[in-house]
Amino acid sequence: MDIINIYDNSDKLYYIGGVVRDKLLGVKSFDVDITYVGNAIEYCSKFGEVIQENPDFGTVRVNVGGREVDFASTRSEIYEKKGHLPVVTKIGCSLKEDVMRRDFTVNALAMSVSTGEIVDYTGGQKDLKDKILRVLHDESFIDDPTRIIRALKFRVRFGFDLEEHTRYLQEKYLSDINYDMSYKRVKKELMETFNLNSQRAFEIFIQEGIYKLVSPEKFELPKVNIEELIKKYPVEHTWLVYIGLLPDLLRLEFTKEERKIVEDFRAIGDLKTDFEIYKAFDGLAVESILLYGISKDMNAAIRYLDILRYIKISVTGEDLKALGLKPSPKYQEIFDYILQAKLQNPQMTYEDEISLVKNYKN
Ligand code: CTP
């Protein structure tokens, strides 16, 4: 928290939001947000190290001793269109007005950069001590439904609980969802929440009906413990192994890769033999295989991941050519023939495979 010391002793600079919460909790912060009471762009331009600025939001990125730091101006906002990005109504408002636009009391704390004094307009310190998430006003989830997912993230990350009235507001919103919302922000929060790899998060997500923000169709909690599964088979897109199970994902703007992971597992039907399992899963992302396992057949998924995927045939197209076979679709038939044999007898050597090819030719 010493990055600002080289600036000046401005009493208008405050650490704000998550960074203050994290400091009081004694945990590491992902990023440092600093607010200037007034216009941060004008303030920072005095130092001549501005890297990037966004006058519409009053934010500015500067180089502080070789480190990039983001400064925001205090600002007030209104949600003209519920569920979408708010519109800035004033840049350079009071610290209190800035704080009141935020999601939860524990995220509405400020700390003076020069003195370390905590400014708490909403009772955030007490809620932090009591491990409670409390919205600042009754419209909070209507303005920004992603806050319901953010609450889930903080509940799981810090072991917090929803304050009673906040829980009521969540239930109320989830019983009458306005699906015209920014799904880009929803997706970001889902990723951050489910990349924590927490079975508890998924249980709350399903049991409290939070999943309906994405996928209105009824969905039951799968019996598998996904957290344990991912610990055993780590993947790049942990969040997708949870979210990919939902029946209706069209609202989330998936990348090509994400879409493929989900489409691949859905396209696979019943798998009976090792050969069928191998052919279905070969080349697929582990995420897709886990999704198939959770939703359809875990034995098949585990058999592939633990054993079958390590079985490879040694014979190549070059070998077939050397044996006098002209390149044709027949090559694939031969490879499959050898593979079937090798799945039954993984100890087969290269020579065994070659003699199989010769038999096949005959
Ligand atoms: N905020 C908000 N409503 C949102 C997103 C953010 O009010 N939908 C406010 C909160 O005050 C939050 C701050 O903006 O603390 C910064 O947002 P962000 O960096 O997303 O969250 P952090 O609280 O810093 O959480 P994390 O540790 O996950 O980054």
Side-chain angles (χ1 to χ4, degrees), residues 34-93:
I34 296 165
T35 282
Y36 177 76
V37 183
N39 189 317
I41 298 179
E42 283 169 19
Y43 172 75
C44 288
S45 62
K46 282 192 281 183
F47 301 96
E49 299 170 283
V50 173
I51 299 168
Q52 196 182 311
E53 59 182 47
N54 182 346
D56 292 340
F57 280 87
T59 54
V60 56
R61 178 168 297 167
V62 286
N63 186 322
V64 183
R67 193 173 159 188
E68 290 183 11
V69 184
D70 290 318
F71 288 83
S73 308
T74 41
R75 67 174 190 263
S76 47
E77 299 172 337
I78 51 163
Y79 285 84
E80 267 186 0
K81 205 169 164 207
K82 305 289 183 194
H84 292 265
L85 270 186
V87 176
V88 176
T89 48
K90 188 176 174 194
I91 286 179
C93 64

Side-chain angles (χ1 to χ4, degrees), residues 127-325:
D127 285 344
L128 204 54
K129 220 184 273 159
D130 296 342
K131 295 178 168 286
I132 275 175
L133 291 162
R134 184 194 308 267
V135 288
L136 304 191
H137 57 86
D138 283 8
E139 296 278 298
S140 191
F141 294 144
I142 300 169
D143 284 344
D144 179 0
T146 65
R147 288 173 172 170
I148 292 178
I149 308 171
R150 287 174 62 78
L152 172 61
K153 174 175 76 178
F154 297 128
R155 286 164 79 178
V156 168
R157 201 199 289 165
F158 302 126
F160 287 2
D161 211 345
L162 288 183
E163 172 272 330
E164 209 178 307
H165 184 63
T166 300
R167 183 179 291 275
Y168 162 76
L169 293 172
Q170 174 183 294
E171 275 169 22
K172 195 165 164 218
Y173 186 80
L174 292 175
S175 67
D176 183 19
I177 297 168
N178 172 11
Y179 285 95
D180 177 14
M181 69 177 88
S182 160
Y183 277 94
K184 205 170 152 193
R185 305 174 77 200
V186 169
K187 183 177 169 189
K188 174 180 170 278
E189 293 299 341
L190 288 174
M191 288 171 93
E192 287 183 15
T193 305
F194 287 101
N195 278 339
L196 295 171
N197 188 27
S198 158
Q199 180 69 13
R200 186 166 163 259
F202 199 49
E203 285 167 11
I204 298 175
F205 187 66
I206 305 302
Q207 281 155 5
E208 295 183 10
I210 300 172
Y211 71 94
K212 291 193 170 155
L213 289 171
V214 181
S215 178
E217 206 177 304
K218 195 164 166 42
F219 180 73
E220 303 275 345
L221 186 69
K223 296 210 166 42
V224 181
N225 183 319
I226 302 175
E227 180 178 334
E228 295 299 324
L229 193 67
I230 289 177
K231 278 188 195 148
K232 197 162 167 216
Y233 305 102
V235 291
E236 191 188 340
H237 307 280
T238 297
W239 72 286
L240 256 191
V241 181
Y242 291 92
I243 296 304
L245 294 163
L246 297 179
D248 176 5
L249 291 165
L250 285 178
R251 291 179 178 82
L252 297 181
E253 281 169 27
F254 277 164
T255 62
K256 243 190 182 163
E257 187 189 3
E258 292 161 350
R259 198 172 327 121
K260 184 168 175 349
I261 285 172
V262 173
E263 283 172 358
D264 278 353
F265 101 84
R266 289 197 175 150
I268 305 172
D270 284 354
L271 300 174
K272 291 190 190 73
T273 63
D274 279 353
F275 182 69
E276 280 175 9
I277 295 172
Y278 193 102
K279 291 298 276 187
F281 291 155
D282 188 25
L284 256 54
V286 174
E287 286 88 335
S288 301
I289 299 167
L290 295 179
L291 282 162
Y292 180 89
I294 297 161
S295 60
K296 297 181 185 170
D297 180 354
M298 188 54 86
N299 288 335
I302 287 187
R303 179 146 179 81
Y304 181 78
L305 292 172
D306 283 352
I307 299 168
L308 303 183
R309 67 168 153 168
Y310 301 109
I311 300 176
K312 304 266 183 244
I313 62 170
S314 314
V315 163
T316 64
E318 286 305 312
D319 294 323
L320 300 189
K321 233 192 250 173
L323 287 168
L325 284 162

Side-chain angles (χ1 to χ4, degrees), residues 323-342:
L323 287 168
L325 284 162
K326 273 205 205 102
S328 79
K330 193 143 188 129
Y331 271 31
Q332 191 54 51
E333 279 173 33
I334 298 171
F335 291 144
D336 283 349
Y337 174 70
I338 302 169
L339 177 64
Q340 294 213 41
K342 193 150 187 179

Side-chain angles (χ1 to χ4, degrees), residues 17-32:
V19 62
V20 184
R21 174 201 68 215
D22 291 346
K23 180 165 172 58
L24 294 176
L25 284 174
V27 299
K28 208 172 170 298
S29 267
F30 293 125
D31 54 8
V32 178

